[in-house]
Amino acid sequence: MSGTPPLAVVLVEPSGALNVGSVARVCANFGVSDLRLVAPRCDHLGEEARRMAVHAAGLLEGAALFTSLTEALADCGRVVATTGRCSGEPLPLQTLDAALRWLRQPPRGEPQDRPAAPTSRALVFGREDRGLSNAELLQAGRLLSLDTAAAYASLNLAQAAAVVLHHWHGLRDDQPPPAAAQPQADPCARGVLEALLGDAEQLLLAVGFLHPHTAAARMAKLRALLQRAQVSTAEAALLRGMVRQLRWASTRGRTGTSVGDDPERTP
């Protein structure tokens, strides 16, 4: 995996300490050292978690804690989220192999598209009882669902992590991408995309395209569109520059000068 940025495993609001400990052990089994917990609902450093982690207690102790999924993914470019639902998803479902091959792709694009430090890759697993919300799924670039028997499709969190990470570990850098795949610039970090969406929402509210009571639903559609496009860092910067210029012009009532020409504007 020498050419691939590091992988982060993200657990959203895990409620079972046994599961968290088991996932830490699975991460250690397959060489993943970045474990992130979003608002855990259990004691991830307690006796139960440590008992299941066995020799991976260090991963539990080093796990990063976040208050939201957005915060946990801020430095991540390619993100794959797991889901147990088979229909009604905000993004198309992919097979395990296709999703992980996309996640594994090394950074591409022109040097100016790339941030100073390589962005992480992330695998996101949802709550044991209800998985991930549509808003959370929209923070991923790809969704995957594990193929199970229809009679009992629900997998335990730790079991799902073991299946996915086993497949991830088995992929090799020297395996060529599918023939139909076309090289694309690496997606921008999630934090960059969220900043763009935040500026866009403020502009669209200011000009009346969005209304407070419908803003969330419309922004979800825009987020899905940009996620499907997987915009690069340079493309996100271009779009954000356009949005900020339009917002400035709408508040100043003039369009003949640029943001940089405004002597009263602070950075």
Side-chain angles (χ1 to χ4, degrees):
M1 296 176 63
S2 58
T4 305
L7 178 70
V9 169
V10 184
L11 307 184
V12 177
E13 296 185 9
S15 60
L18 296 174
N19 272 335
V20 175
S22 297
V23 172
R25 181 173 181 173
V26 168
C27 287
N29 289 150
F30 297 114
V32 176
S33 59
D34 188 353
L35 178 61
R36 306 182 185 188
L37 307 178
V38 178
R41 297 181 287 175
C42 62
D43 182 4
H44 72 288
L45 295 176
E47 190 276 332
E48 287 188 334
R50 291 178 182 276
R51 185 170 74 247
M52 296 305 293
V54 192
H55 298 300
L59 263 176
L60 291 175
E61 295 165 359
L65 301 181
F66 300 90
T67 59
S68 69
L69 181 58
T70 300
E71 181 186 352
L73 296 178
D75 67 327
C76 298
R78 294 178 187 263
V79 177
V80 168
T82 60
T83 177
R85 289 178 282 170
C86 297
S87 61
E89 303 294 353
L91 295 170
L93 287 174
Q94 290 200 324
T95 64
L96 176 62
D97 188 72
L100 294 189
R101 286 186 185 281
W102 174 83
L103 186 65
R104 191 184 178 86
Q105 289 177 19
R108 289 192 176 100
E110 298 300 324
Q112 65 267 24
D113 288 341
R114 302 178 190 173
T119 55
S120 295
R121 268 52 171 156
L123 273 170
V124 182
F125 296 88
R127 305 161 187 84
E128 291 98 326
D129 55 349
R130 54 192 172 90
L132 296 166
S133 68
N134 275 5
E136 290 164 338
L137 291 172
L138 278 172
Q139 296 191 50
R142 298 289 189 274
L143 304 182
L144 71 84
S145 183
L146 296 175
D147 187 17
T148 56
Y152 191 27
S154 177
L155 278 173
N156 168 268
L157 172 61
Q159 293 172 334
V163 171
V164 175
L165 289 178
H166 175 267
H167 195 89
W168 168 265
H169 185 72
L171 295 176
R172 301 195 311 272
D173 288 331
D174 59 356
Q175 288 176 318
Q182 297 296 324
Q184 295 179 330
D186 213 40
C188 66
R190 285 294 319 172
V192 173
L193 186 59
E194 289 300 321
L196 164 61
L197 288 165
D199 283 349
E201 183 172 8
Q202 291 180 27
L203 168 66
L204 297 174
L205 283 168
V207 300
F209 181 80
L210 292 181
H211 301 286
H213 65 287
T214 59
R218 286 202 163 192
M219 288 304 298
K221 292 180 179 179
L222 179 58
R223 179 177 273 102
L225 185 155
L226 292 177
Q227 282 293 72
R228 288 194 297 271
Q230 290 292 284
V231 296
S232 69
T233 300
E235 291 167 339
L238 173 65
L239 290 171
R240 193 178 185 194
M242 293 167 59
V243 166
R244 298 181 77 175
Q245 175 67 26
L246 288 168
R247 187 177 175 212
W248 176 85
S250 70
T251 58
R252 294 300 191 278
R254 51 185 174 141
T255 58
T257 56
S258 69
V259 173
D261 295 331
D262 181 13
E264 298 179 358
R265 184 181 182 276
T266 56

